[in-house]
Amino acid sequence: MKRLRRWVRASIRRRLLWLAFAPLGLLILALTALTAYWTSTYNDRQLYMKVRADLAVASRVLDGLSQRQQARLEELGHSHALGSALNGESTQSLAALLDETRAAMQLDWLRVVPLTAFDDAPELQRRLQSPADDGGLSGLDVLDAGRLDNLAPGLARRARIALRKTPRATPSTRQYETRGMVLRTLYTLPATTGHPRLLLDGGRLLNGATDPVDDIRDLVYGPGTLPEGTTGSVTLFLDDVRVATNVRLDNGERALGTRVSEPVSRRVLGDGKRFIDNAFVVSGWYVAAYAPLESLTGERIGMIYAGFPLAPYEALYRETLLQIGAVLAVIVLISGLLVIRGVDVLAGPVRRMHHVIHGIREGRRLRIGHLNGQDELAELAQEFDAMLDRLDAHQDALQRAAQTLERRVEARTRSLSEKTRALEEHVALLKQARASLMTQEKLAALGEMTAGIAHEINNPAAVILGHIEVLADRLGPDVEPVRDEVETIIAQVERIRALIDNLLQYSRAGRHDTRFHREDINAIAADTELLVRHALDRHGHRLHLALHATRAVECHRGQLQQVLVNLLLNATQASDAPMTLHLRTRDADRDLPGHGRVEGVDIRVADPGPGIPLKLRERIFDPFFTTREAGSGLGLAISRGIVRRSGGELSVASSPGRGTIFHVWLPARAIPSGAEETTTRKLLDSLSDMSTPSARG
């Protein structure tokens, strides 16, 4: 190593080559390692996110099958045909009716038994015989061979599955699985006088069933969801045994009777947790997701699985690395040739200068001469050759120095002028700050006055509302002739209280809670749906949620929820006809002056209503401006103020006849600002106008 260092230091050309190639080699190695790591990590994260979503969809579809089965049996339980057959008043016998219904619903058994004769699990008996529980139960259950044959002849034979030797599975001596996993519904029929209470028991055997898992697979892994030639799969497990699956063996048969790998069994069946990772499935590695399944009594009975082969993605990963490696190799080759040529061009003049300097030391009159190029080395050679000739040019150098000094004086003068202007701007800013403080003091006084007025008005308003409701109750049916007048009084009192609440919200604009916390925007949006559900149902509207934001946001949870509730309530009032509103969240970045590119979240509230005309769109955020007879005109102004307090923005996009979209953008890290001062000044001006004699008149 020492000999290598001496060899490198002996020549400037070698040192330049070393300085050029060493960082280049390290850079190539770092790029290769980072590319491999990033590609692998990114692919794994995306695959796990997809398979987690696939498992959630598969679980919901399975729950949907149970709910549809329960709904149809409840419909049968309330049908006139069943009641007539039970009382012997129908031309169709009870057995014929049950067989017809069982065939139509594709059930394996359907029976009616007295509730006292139901001999199933004690927990099920207790729940079904409880007086407080007069509904039904539906879900998965596990039945042994004896109970299967009692329900339907031959059912136990269909449920019997031979266990196959499976690589990586927990060792077991069992050879057959004789129990059956069933999708079962138990519905207690309404009690009738003189008859024992009856139970409607129906279900479907899932052992060996193909339709449920194939339907779920076709829904989850439709065309275009996986690489071409790759097929996803769905499986239902009874304990660790596949009883319903579309995973295939090497001979093309369904892998019934194979067992899950030991790590999956230990985590899902042992710990009761989900497993989302790469897993060995029958004969190969899959991107897999498993979740535990529970019976009607809450016992853990098996698992549900969704996944797809890992091999196509590994092949794609290797192909990507090869392509990147080829590109890097070409870059290294071209860079190496350019570096060698550049080093030779740079080192040649240096060696020539070294030879001349040694000659001058020996007393020889040598000159470097002209060097090709216009770089620093060529300039240095020219200056060295002309050093003696420049003695007469000292006066010119002094003159140039004087000119340089004069330019510096001018630059200093300009700098002082700029500082003077900056000082004037600071004075103007101080005046603006003083005006802002005066505005805040006025707003505080307005808050105290508004709070007092609100207290004095809310009390008689509550008394009026209470007495009107008492009068309506006392009059009973006699209130019908004046029903419209009573409802008008109640509506106007509520309008007064709403206006007072909005004024209180604005009066507190200078004293709002400035403490922000990191919040999950998706959770706030989901909770908001519950708050506006009554208003949506009253108008017949539907709300569609598309919550795709992944970032947490620093905000005030209650105030942001107030903004979303206000926007959704405005959307419900956009049209009397039933429509679908949309509430969407997504990650979004913006360029903010003074802050650069800022990460954030965009929330959209959209309605397909008639839209907002352009002349009204410019004023909807002004305080006290409203187009509704019962509106106060403060909702959107308050909402914009709340959003701006954390550095966000509330805007609107609308086209007449095509609907309206409100955009709420919030930065991931709050940027407190005084953007709401404009709204505050408008409110003060409006209140000042309202307090003049002409406004009160």
Side-chain angles (χ1 to χ4, degrees), residues 570-584:
N570 287 347
T572 62
Q573 298 166 359
S575 174
D576 294 331
M579 60 183 178
T580 299
L581 310 180
H582 295 271
L583 176 58
R584 302 176 179 174

Side-chain angles (χ1 to χ4, degrees), residues 501-544:
D501 290 341
N502 286 336
L503 285 174
L504 284 174
Q505 287 288 341
Y506 242 112
S507 69
R508 292 193 291 266
R511 303 189 299 274
H512 55 268
D513 188 0
T514 59
R515 293 173 300 175
F516 298 109
H517 304 281
R518 295 189 66 80
E519 301 287 352
D520 184 352
I521 293 299
N522 294 337
I524 295 176
D527 292 344
T528 304
E529 180 184 14
L530 301 178
L531 299 178
V532 299
R533 174 54 55 194
H534 176 70
L536 293 171
D537 295 340
R538 184 175 58 191
H539 291 84
H541 300 329
R542 294 176 62 250
L543 178 62
H544 179 264

Side-chain angles (χ1 to χ4, degrees), residues 379-697:
E379 183 180 355
L380 178 61
Q382 293 174 3
E383 290 294 329
F384 188 83
D385 288 344
M387 182 173 53
L388 296 176
D389 299 333
R390 285 202 301 267
L391 292 177
D392 296 334
H394 283 176
Q395 186 64 36
D396 295 336
L398 291 174
Q399 185 177 358
R400 287 194 297 272
Q403 294 175 352
T404 301
L405 179 60
E406 183 178 354
R407 287 195 298 271
R408 290 181 178 178
V409 171
E410 292 176 355
R412 184 62 176 173
T413 303
R414 287 196 300 271
S415 176
L416 292 175
S417 300
E418 292 174 358
K419 290 182 177 179
T420 302
R421 287 195 297 270
L423 182 59
E424 293 174 352
E425 293 175 358
H426 290 165
V427 172
L429 290 175
L430 289 175
K431 292 180 179 179
Q432 293 177 1
R434 181 182 178 186
S436 176
L437 289 175
M438 295 178 64
T439 300
Q440 294 298 328
E441 292 176 358
K442 291 179 182 179
L443 189 58
L446 173 63
E448 295 177 1
M449 180 185 71
T450 304
I453 294 174
H455 178 74
E456 296 299 325
I457 292 179
N458 274 331
N459 287 339
V463 172
I464 293 171
L465 185 61
H467 281 72
I468 286 296
E469 293 175 349
V470 171
L471 286 175
D473 292 338
R474 290 288 183 86
L475 291 175
D478 295 334
V479 79
E480 292 302 325
V482 291
R483 173 70 68 182
D484 294 337
E485 288 74 13
V486 170
E487 292 179 353
T488 300
I489 293 174
I490 294 174
Q492 294 304 314
V493 171
E494 292 292 347
R495 180 182 176 187
I496 291 173
R497 296 176 70 178
L499 179 59
I500 291 302
D501 290 341
N502 286 336
L503 285 174
L504 284 174
Q505 287 288 341
Y506 242 112
S507 69
R508 292 193 291 266
R511 303 189 299 274
H512 55 268
D513 188 0
T514 59
R515 293 173 300 175
F516 298 109
H517 304 281
R518 295 189 66 80
E519 301 287 352
D520 184 352
I521 293 299
N522 294 337
I524 295 176
D527 292 344
T528 304
E529 180 184 14
L530 301 178
L531 299 178
V532 299
R533 174 54 55 194
H534 176 70
L536 293 171
D537 295 340
R538 184 175 58 191
H539 291 84
H541 300 329
R542 294 176 62 250
L543 178 62
H544 179 264
L545 297 178
L547 309 178
H548 302 302
T550 61
R551 296 171 179 164
V553 171
E554 291 185 352
C555 64
H556 190 286
R557 183 184 183 94
Q559 293 179 357
L560 178 57
Q561 200 160 64
Q562 176 187 351
V563 172
L564 297 182
V565 169
N566 190 18
L567 296 179
L568 288 171
L569 290 180
N570 287 347
T572 62
Q573 298 166 359
S575 174
D576 294 331
M579 60 183 178
T580 299
L581 310 180
H582 295 271
L583 176 58
R584 302 176 179 174
T585 65
R586 66 182 182 90
D587 296 339
D589 300 342
R590 283 195 179 185
D591 292 320
L592 297 183
H595 298 280
R597 194 70 171 174
V598 177
E599 294 183 346
V601 171
D602 180 62
I603 308 173
R604 297 187 180 185
V605 177
D607 67 82
I612 304 174
L614 179 60
K615 61 181 181 180
L616 299 181
R617 202 182 313 153
E618 298 174 352
R619 299 184 58 195
I620 61 175
F621 294 104
D622 291 342
F624 302 108
F625 174 78
T626 181
T627 59
R628 295 198 301 271
E629 181 179 354
S632 64
L634 293 175
L636 289 176
I638 291 174
S639 298
R640 174 173 273 189
I642 290 173
V643 173
R644 285 183 171 180
R645 286 168 195 162
S646 62
E649 185 57 47
L650 172 60
S651 60
V652 62
S654 181
S655 299
R658 300 182 63 182
T660 302
I661 301 177
F662 280 91
H663 294 265
V664 179
W665 182 83
L666 296 170
R669 295 183 62 86
I671 308 175
S673 66
E676 69 271 16
E677 291 184 1
T678 302
T679 304
T680 304
R681 293 194 183 99
K682 290 182 179 179
L683 173 61
L684 291 173
D685 295 340
S686 300
L687 292 176
S688 299
D689 294 340
M690 293 176 64
S691 64
T692 60
S694 60
R696 291 195 298 271

